[in-house]
Amino acid sequence: MKRGESLAKNTLILSLGTIIPKITSFITLPIITLCLTKNEIGFNELIMMFSILMLPVATLQIQTAAFRFLIDVRDDEEEIKKIISSIIVFTFITSLIALVVVFLCLYKEDLYLRFLICLYYLADIFVNTLRQICRGLGKNGEYSKSIIVSSFSTLVFIIALVFILSWGLIGVVASSFLSSFIAFIYLFFKIKLYRFFSMSFFNKEILKKMLSYTIPLIPNSISGWLMRLADRLVVTVFMGVSANAVYSLACKIPNLIDNLQNTFVLAWQENASIVSKDSDAGEYYTRVFHMLFNLITGSLGLLIAISPVLFKLLIKGDYEEAYFQMPILFMAMFFLGLSTFLGGIYLAFKKTKSIGLTTTVAAVINLVFDISLIRYLGLYAASISTMLAYIFLFLFRIIDVQKIIRIRVNISHMILMIIILLIECGIFYLDKIYLDTVYLKLVNCLIAVVLFLGTNWEFIRMLLRWWFKNAKGE
């Protein structure tokens, strides 16, 4: 299969694991905002953010090695067993230690809530580990299916436990645990994990190699986590839990673009790793970079255009202030998407130290601006500091990655696209502040459609060619 077709195929398959969760989360969002207090929403957001930290801390990022190392041994069953067995044993031991610490640190909270949080973190760690094993084995379909299973389970449990039984925050956390656990069971039997796992295949040497690859990624994960959590912690400390709820809801819609580009990047990481040894890797990376840039630009334009309607439909209650943070966060997600793509090149060449360094510096920038501006700008400090950090992250990486492989950038095209997005953001603000009229919304939609089709026609054609080719059974 050609590189482009392979990338398009994997993007399409993995997109199912991105789109479905967003649809279900949008369905559950009105229920959560209706049935939980602002304090409960704020606390739940902190629980979800800490779950992002638990994975790298509890596993030392070993699940990342599952993906990268399995790619190189897909035809060697014995090596596959050694890698998977070593990862499972290591993850089990370190996870138990980490969760005991979490349970003790939550001593002020209700016992049932502490127990559920730890169960959720454990299930989340193992289901994500199995998902990376799926990717390493080339089973992207099972990866996406497990996310869909988890998403629909969450929807069912939120409706049952939160909306019908009114369990509040405990119901939300219980739903998160049960959905992750069900997805784990699904993957365990679907990929027949028991075929690849045995204590006799545990290999210390392979584990050491994987840890030497993944340990430099820990600062990257923690820094990325801090960049997301720092805003919420600073807002909570200086403005209260209710303000954190407002900011968290402001991030919901802009984060859609992050989820979209993550789909592409997941597929891209596999292609980048396979192509890294080819003589024309630089030319291929350049083409994909421009394709991703156009995809993010066009998709973000569409999202900005429809966000006023989405906000009214999805956000219930007194959260008007969240609306005005969104354009800044849109641009932050734009630069994050480009930075994540470049991170895929670091992974392909196993330059994990560079990933950790760049993300750590960006996290420091975010925190410094956040604390410096919060007293003067309120919630705007959180969104502006995030945007500035991601702008730095992109600029640093696009310069630094040239030391590994040459990637050509069309600067004039990038500037033009950014200007168009800023115009859309300006219309977004004007419509809300002054007019709140359907005409400005239609203008933004027209700009967005033209922008998306104009920048992504080549990628759309490639997807359609792959789709029709497979539909005909070729």
Side-chain angles (χ1 to χ4, degrees):
M1 184 181 292
K2 295 180 180 179
R3 293 170 178 173
E5 289 184 2
S6 175
L7 183 60
K9 173 188 173 182
N10 287 333
T11 300
L12 195 60
I13 292 172
L14 292 168
S15 67
L16 296 176
T18 300
I19 296 171
I20 300 298
K22 286 296 113 184
I23 294 173
T24 56
S25 69
F26 280 162
I27 296 173
T28 59
L29 184 58
I31 297 174
I32 292 174
T33 55
L34 182 66
C35 299
L36 271 64
T37 66
K38 281 188 178 181
N39 285 348
E40 287 178 325
I41 292 174
F43 189 71
N44 183 61
E45 288 295 328
L46 292 178
I47 293 173
M48 296 300 110
M49 289 302 301
F50 273 104
S51 71
I52 300 173
L53 175 66
M54 283 303 302
L55 191 60
V57 169
T59 66
L60 299 184
Q61 281 287 71
I62 199 72
Q63 77 286 341
T64 305
F67 163 67
R68 185 61 186 88
F69 278 66
L70 286 172
I71 284 179
D72 296 333
V73 297
R74 285 179 177 175
D75 298 323
D76 190 333
E77 187 168 337
E78 185 172 342
E79 286 299 308
I80 290 174
K81 290 179 179 179
K82 289 179 181 178
I83 291 172
I84 293 177
S85 297
S86 301
I87 288 171
I88 296 298
V89 171
F90 181 81
T91 301
F92 180 76
I93 294 172
T94 56
S95 297
L96 288 182
I97 296 171
L99 290 172
V100 168
V101 175
V102 170
F103 187 83
L104 294 175
C105 289
L106 292 172
Y107 66 93
K108 290 185 178 180
E109 303 300 329
D110 178 82
L111 181 63
Y112 292 109
L113 183 59
R114 293 163 64 191
F115 188 64
L116 280 172
I117 290 172
C118 290
L119 283 178
Y120 163 57
Y121 287 163
L122 181 63
D124 187 60
I125 288 169
F126 272 93
V127 75
N128 279 293
T129 300
L130 291 195
R131 283 170 181 160
Q132 293 307 313
I133 290 173
C134 280
R135 291 183 62 212
L137 295 174
K139 298 180 182 294
N140 289 323
E142 300 307 328
Y143 172 92
S144 290
K145 288 176 185 176
S146 74
I147 297 177
I148 294 171
V149 168
S150 177
S151 300
F152 278 116
S153 299
T154 300
L155 174 60
V156 171
F157 288 121
I158 287 289
I159 293 173
L161 302 181
V162 179
F163 185 70
I164 297 176
L165 297 178
S166 301
W167 283 13
L169 179 60
I170 287 182
V172 175
V173 179
S175 300
S176 299
F177 158 63
L178 291 170
S179 62
S180 294
F181 179 72
I182 290 172
F184 168 79
I185 296 298
Y186 167 81
L187 277 182
F188 182 87
F189 289 103
K190 195 67 180 179
I191 67 173
K192 299 178 181 178
L193 184 67
Y194 45 83
R195 289 181 53 242
F196 301 107
F197 174 75
S198 173
M199 288 296 297
S200 62
F201 282 101
F202 177 80
N203 188 294
K204 290 183 180 179
E205 292 304 314
I206 289 179
L207 182 61
K208 288 180 181 178
K209 290 180 181 179
M210 289 191 292
L211 289 175
S212 67
Y213 170 80
T214 62
I215 286 177
L217 289 172
I218 297 175
N220 172 67
S221 294
I222 294 177
S223 298
W225 172 81
L226 284 174
M227 287 180 71
R228 291 175 172 86
L229 186 64
D231 297 324
R232 289 160 172 77
L233 289 177
V234 172
V235 167
T236 301
V237 170
F238 285 91
M239 302 180 67
V241 177
S242 296
N244 178 53
V246 173
Y247 183 72
S248 297
L249 292 174
C251 295
K252 293 292 184 183
I253 296 176
N255 279 347
L256 281 174
I257 200 65
D258 184 33
N259 293 116
L260 175 66
Q261 63 87 17
N262 275 339
T263 299
F264 189 93
V265 169
L266 284 174
W268 158 244
Q269 287 174 349
E270 182 175 341
N271 274 47
S273 298
I274 294 172
V275 174
S276 61
K277 297 178 182 179
D278 293 352
S279 59
D280 63 339
E283 295 178 8
Y284 176 66
Y285 291 166
T286 296
R287 291 197 302 272
V288 178
F289 173 77
H290 288 298
M291 183 183 295
L292 178 67
F293 177 86
N294 290 333
L295 181 63
I296 294 177
T297 302
S299 302
L300 183 58
L302 290 174
L303 186 60
I304 294 172
I306 65 174
S307 285
V309 177
L310 289 177
F311 189 86
K312 289 182 179 180
L313 290 175
L314 301 173
I315 310 298
K316 307 297 181 183
D318 184 20
Y319 297 102
E320 193 74 7
E321 192 176 357
Y323 184 92
F324 296 99
Q325 307 300 318
M326 288 166 55
I328 302 170
L329 293 168
F330 283 136
M331 298 309 300
M333 293 302 102
F334 172 78
F335 287 103
L336 173 60
L338 300 177
S339 303
T340 306
F341 168 85
L342 297 172
I345 297 177
Y346 286 134
L347 285 176
F349 288 91
K350 296 185 178 179
K351 302 291 185 180
T352 50
K353 291 181 181 179
S354 297
I355 298 177
L357 173 64
T358 53
T359 312
T360 300
V361 175
V364 171
I365 290 174
N366 181 53
L367 185 60
V368 169
F369 276 100
D370 220 344
I371 295 175
S372 302
L373 300 175
I374 191 72
R375 294 183 183 276
Y376 307 101
L377 301 179
L379 283 181
Y380 285 102
S383 52
I384 290 174
S385 63
T386 298
M387 181 180 69
L388 293 175
Y390 287 142
I391 289 174
F392 161 81
L393 186 63
F394 167 68
L395 293 176
F396 191 107
R397 284 186 176 180
I398 195 63
I399 295 172
D400 184 63
V401 82
Q402 307 298 333
K403 301 174 184 176
I404 302 173
I405 196 163
R406 178 69 175 172
I407 296 180
R408 296 185 303 276
V409 178
N410 188 335
I411 297 177
S412 59
H413 175 72
M414 291 182 65
I415 292 174
L416 176 61
M417 294 301 102
I418 291 172
I419 290 173
I420 293 174
L421 291 177
L422 291 175
I423 290 172
E424 278 202 70
C425 289
I427 295 174
F428 181 93
Y429 274 129
L430 288 174
D431 181 43
K432 184 67 175 178
I433 297 173
Y434 297 109
L435 300 174
D436 194 15
T437 174
V438 69
Y439 297 111
L440 280 181
K441 293 181 178 66
L442 289 175
V443 169
N444 244 3
C445 286
L446 179 61
I447 294 174
V449 170
V450 172
L451 178 65
F452 183 83
L453 294 178
T455 56
N456 292 284
W457 187 243
E458 180 182 349
F459 184 69
I460 294 170
R461 287 177 60 191
M462 186 169 61
L463 281 177
L464 291 175
R465 281 200 304 268
W466 175 82
W467 177 271
F468 286 119
K469 180 179 178 180
N470 283 270
K472 293 177 180 178
E474 296 180 13

